[in-house]
Amino acid sequence: MASSPSLLTKISHPFHSLSSLYPTKITLFDFATVQSFNFLKNFSSNADSTNFHNFNFDSFFANLIDNSSQKTNLEQVHAKFFLLGIHQRGFLITKLINAAVNLGEIGYARKVFDEFSDPDVFVWNAVIRGYSKYNLFAGAIELYSRMQVLWVSPDGYTLPHVLKACGGLPCLKMGQQVHGQIFRLGFEKDVFVQNGVVAFYAKCGKIASAKVVFERLEIRNVVSWTSMISGYAQNGQPIEALRIFDEMREMGVMPDWIALVSVIRAHTDVEDLEHGKSIHSFVIKMGLELESDLLIALTAMYAKCGQVMVARSLFNQMKVPNLILWNAMISGYAKNGYADEAVKLFRDMISRNIRTDSITARSAVLACAQVGSFELARWMDNYISKSEHRDDIFVNSALIDMYAKCGNVDMARIVFDRTLDKDVVVWSAMIVGYGLHGRGREALDLYQLMNQAGVHPNDVTFLGLLTACNHSGLVEDGWKLFHCMKNYGIEPRHQHYACVVDLLGRSGYLDQAYDFIMNMPIEPGVSVWGALLSACKIHRHVTLGEYAAERLFSLESYNTGHYVQLSNLYAYARMWDRVAKVRVLMREKGLSKDLGYSLIEINGKLEAFRVGDKSHPRSKEIYEELESLERRLKQAGFVPDTYSSLHDLNDEEMEETLCNHSERLAIAFGLISTAQGTTLRITKNLRACINCHSATKLISKLVNREIIVRDANRFHHFKDGVCSCGDYW
DNA sequence: ATAGGGTTAG
């Protein structure tokens, strides 16, 4: 080993400037320095004994850091810094921290930072960037405050990261302070900093402030434009987002892939498939179709616009599993009624050990709610309660909703009770659940508890309460609650007004309902007129019902349901000529009655039946059971109302058809496939028809079973000859 | 020496 005295003096040379700062350390490390020199020789051809006094440690280590692909490499380099006594070189520490951040080793980056005694602005920027990059916003802000306590002034590189953190939390107050500071420090012309300010205000929902800052900018680049576009997209103004995009194109600014992601999101929100497709072709023209985040955005767009097949083919193009892509696909399936596909994909994810997050869990739970299978719901609950998502309140509110929609509001209550830190959505989900099942009293009791817990209700809470009152006949309570809304500063929406119309209509106050509609501060829509028509049908108020129907036809002339409701009103009032007229009207418009179907869950498997369905393998037994049920119904004095349904048949045929209604087939199948006393759970796509409703009531008594039917509108619990809906639906 | 904007959602 060449360790002559002359060599040692020469080795200390590169540290001259440092040794004046840290003289003692250099002396202490003399021996180690020699050892490290050998280390350097192993790595670098220029570290030989002839030119080492010119050796450039900065570039040597910078190179070494750049080529580090693991945390251990960085740790070795950092150890050498100590050995060589260069561990206080800001340049190298900055490099090291940035490298650690780029490897995702934020904890290690922080450790290096903490061992550094006197960080300059570069070092601060590196560590703050790390926290901001990985969405550790509180950490970024805490570091930023410490930086200022130590009198290190932020520069144009610090501020964008800090602004990202303020927007990410979001914390309006903090960001506004930073904005003030930016003004004082004179960064109003710095486009990087100002873009950060725009994005910050947009994320805090202060889109007007964002716009002011944006418009004051003299130079706007693609990032400035993107900040505005995404700002509008994030704040529920997709149309405005698209307008800004057009403006940007007119100014000749070329979008990059991130800009396009925001534009696609705006198209996704307006569900404008046509323009979305043209953006897709634009993406291809720009040669950006392989950009994975664009692929994700496009998949989400097609999925949300109902084109799940197209979405799936894009999804299949992605080679490496991506969490957000899977989430987009699962929620796309769930939203468009492909619930079984959504659940299949979720199970696929689990079996392939792809990481799930709380959004995945929420989407999967949402899908289960739509499937309506109680067994599946239990499976999902069981999975979630064993997973890391068990305490996530978003997931739990979805679970509450799921159980309620799968017919078991008591299980929903169990989830509700085990949810800690209930927020307004958790409370509302439970209240809506009780409402759906006509358990109005419990909904109101829960509302009391919610008030005692100091949780402020929102519009959904009131919607749940009003629905609960409707479904349980609590007319007085509902009326009072509606007038309570303004005390909480909540503006009633269409649905709330529709509930009140329903409420008044239920008790036969049809003229009052009409007056109420006429005095609404907003234009009455489909839900309101629909509620009035429905009430008119129950009370056989033909003239008012015709008026409501007219309004409905002008609002939605192709919605079959409105025609069927009017026809049912005429049938209830025994005005057969008008029933026929509606039928002619529908034929002229090319409309036909939606085909009814029912699903019944047997041993966790859903079986589907249509009207007069004979395709089931046990069809023969089913019809035998059906006949025996008919006999027992007749013996019990049941007389079917043969005219209340929209059919052009003679009486005998009609009676037969009514007995063949899909829910009857489902009930018959349920009775022969399950043990005595088992609850039957049925889901149907339309509202319950009056005949089947009366028949099911009686059947529940005759066979001594609880029968739970989820129709298009609500749940009916049939037991001992009565239904929880009180015959109003 | 270092940067900024985006996607899934009860």
Side-chain angles (χ1 to χ4, degrees), chain A residues 440-612:
Chain A
R441 223 30 301 157
E442 281 149 290
L444 293 177
D445 291 345
L446 206 61
Y447 179 59
Q448 287 296 322
L449 288 175
M450 178 179 170
N451 281 324
Q452 284 162 22
V455 178
H456 215 75
N458 65 13
D459 57 333
V460 180
T461 320
F462 277 101
L463 200 57
L465 287 167
L466 291 172
T467 316
C469 291
N470 276 351
H471 288 170
S472 329
L474 300 165
V475 181
E476 289 280 312
D477 296 272
W479 184 250
K480 271 190 218 145
L481 280 165
F482 176 76
H483 292 284
C484 250
M485 287 179 70
K486 60 174 180 292
N487 302 340
Y488 290 96
I490 301 163
E491 206 56 54
R493 290 184 295 120
H494 281 105
Q495 302 273 318
H496 298 97
Y497 288 106
C499 276
V500 174
V501 171
D502 209 351
L503 208 56
L504 292 168
R506 154 189 284 275
S507 5
Y509 296 117
L510 293 171
D511 295 333
Q512 285 83 343
Y514 177 76
D515 286 342
F516 178 79
I517 294 173
M518 288 302 137
N519 289 317
M520 276 173 61
I522 52 175
E523 193 66 32
V526 171
S527 51
V528 170
W529 292 117
L532 184 66
L533 176 54
S534 178
C536 290
K537 179 189 75 181
I538 302 289
H539 296 286
R540 291 141 172 82
H541 194 316
V542 176
T543 39
L544 193 56
E546 283 174 330
Y547 180 71
E550 239 170 68
R551 308 309 302 256
L552 285 167
F553 296 158
S554 72
L555 288 167
E556 288 186 350
S557 71
Y558 288 96
N559 188 327
T560 316
H562 305 324
Y563 295 89
V564 174
Q565 282 283 74
L566 178 63
S567 164
N568 285 344
L569 162 64
Y570 288 140
Y572 276 33
R574 321 225 150 236
M575 300 165 86
W576 312 117
D577 51 329
R578 297 202 193 181
V579 170
K581 258 165 77 184
V582 176
R583 201 182 306 141
V584 171
L585 192 65
M586 284 180 74
R587 202 173 301 144
E588 278 169 2
K589 293 205 172 251
L591 298 172
S592 58
K593 198 176 168 181
D594 286 343
L595 219 52
Y597 65 81
S598 295
L599 305 169
I600 184 162
E601 186 178 352
I602 304 292
N603 300 324
K605 194 167 167 266
L606 291 174
E607 307 256 8
F609 294 92
R610 285 182 309 182
V611 186

Side-chain angles (χ1 to χ4, degrees), chain A residues 622-661:
Chain A
I622 294 170
Y623 276 87
E624 278 165 15
E625 178 66 22
L626 206 57
E627 271 171 40
S628 121
L629 274 177
E630 279 322 302
R631 266 198 310 277
R632 294 172 69 184
L633 280 171
K634 276 201 180 119
Q635 277 166 13
F638 181 73
V639 185
D641 181 353
T642 45
Y643 295 106
S644 62
S645 195
L646 185 63
H647 283 284
D648 193 8
L649 303 166
N650 65 44
D651 287 6
E652 198 181 321
E653 278 175 324
M654 175 127 46
E655 195 174 326
E656 196 199 342
T657 307
L658 288 171
C659 306
N660 288 346
H661 264 180

Side-chain angles (χ1 to χ4, degrees), chain A residues 266-274 304-305:
Chain A
H267 279 109
T268 306
D269 288 347
V270 292
E271 298 190 19
D272 182 349
L273 188 61
E274 282 316 301
K304 203 175 167 204
C305 294

Side-chain angles (χ1 to χ4, degrees), chain A residues 106-363:
Chain A
I106 185 70
Y108 179 63
R110 178 60 187 258
K111 184 170 169 278
V112 173
F113 174 81
D114 285 339
E115 287 171 6
F116 191 76
S117 62
D118 192 19
D120 61 4
V121 68
F122 289 99
V123 177
W124 279 108
N125 289 349
V127 71
I128 292 175
R129 165 178 172 261
Y131 277 79
S132 184
K133 186 179 163 87
Y134 292 100
N135 298 343
L136 302 162
F137 303 129
I141 286 172
E142 191 217 312
L143 283 164
Y144 180 63
S145 329
R146 273 183 49 200
M147 173 182 178
Q148 282 170 297
V149 171
L150 295 169
W151 292 100
V152 181
S153 187
D155 66 7
Y157 289 78
T158 326
L159 294 162
H161 299 131
V162 176
L163 287 164
K164 184 189 169 190
C166 296
L169 279 170
C171 180
L172 182 64
K173 264 213 154 96
M174 184 73 200
Q176 280 171 329
Q177 278 177 31
V178 176
H179 191 189
Q181 208 177 4
I182 286 166
F183 187 75
R184 286 193 298 277
L185 291 167
F187 282 104
E188 59 267 55
K189 293 236 189 316
D190 186 317
V191 73
F192 277 86
V193 173
Q194 293 301 320
N195 287 344
V197 177
V198 171
F200 155 73
Y201 277 119
K203 286 216 188 79
C204 292
K206 298 280 173 197
I207 194 76
S209 307
K211 195 165 190 222
V212 169
V213 178
F214 174 76
E215 282 182 344
R216 272 202 211 129
L217 268 177
E218 282 164 30
I219 307 154
R220 293 171 201 162
N221 58 21
V222 64
V223 178
S224 327
W225 287 98
T226 306
S227 301
M228 275 320 284
I229 293 168
S230 66
Y232 279 113
Q234 286 161 0
N235 285 285
Q237 296 184 55
I239 309 263
E240 190 57 17
L242 296 173
R243 202 190 59 71
I244 301 275
F245 177 62
D246 288 340
E247 210 178 302
M248 167 184 152
R249 299 288 291 134
E250 277 163 28
M251 301 287 284
V253 179
M254 202 53 169
D256 61 7
W257 66 270
I258 299 184
L260 290 170
V261 165
S262 298
V263 173
I264 293 168
R265 148 127 199 215
H267 279 109
T268 306
D269 288 347
V270 292
E271 298 190 19
D272 182 349
L273 188 61
E274 282 316 301
H275 286 96
K277 277 183 186 165
S278 70
I279 292 291
H280 189 179
S281 57
F282 188 70
V283 166
I284 293 168
K285 251 183 246 159
M286 289 192 59
L288 294 171
E289 78 268 30
L290 294 176
E291 193 63 62
S292 66
D293 294 286
L294 270 173
L295 195 69
I296 295 168
L298 286 167
T299 306
M301 181 199 73
Y302 282 112
K304 203 175 167 204
C305 294
Q307 300 284 316
V308 287
M309 305 284 268
V310 182
R312 185 58 193 249
S313 69
L314 289 177
F315 175 88
N316 290 341
Q317 280 177 32
M318 189 81 118
K319 300 288 178 292
V320 275
N322 176 295
L323 175 64
I324 298 175
L325 178 69
W326 281 70
N327 287 353
M329 199 63 231
I330 290 174
S331 72
Y333 275 137
K335 273 207 178 114
N336 289 292
Y338 299 86
D340 43 348
E341 289 293 328
V343 176
K344 223 166 94 186
L345 215 53
F346 180 65
R347 291 189 141 141
D348 220 29
M349 226 171 153
I350 295 166
S351 66
R352 290 169 58 178
N353 282 323
I354 299 171
R355 190 175 74 87
T356 61
D357 68 359
S358 78
I359 295 177
T360 325
R362 267 175 253 174
S363 303

Side-chain angles (χ1 to χ4, degrees), chain A residues 703-719:
Chain A
V703 302
N704 196 22
R705 297 251 200 156
E706 191 176 349
I707 303 172
I708 301 173
V709 178
R710 166 186 176 179
D711 79 2
N713 214 18
R714 57 166 296 158
F715 274 92
H716 302 262
H717 291 254
F718 298 94
K719 204 180 173 188

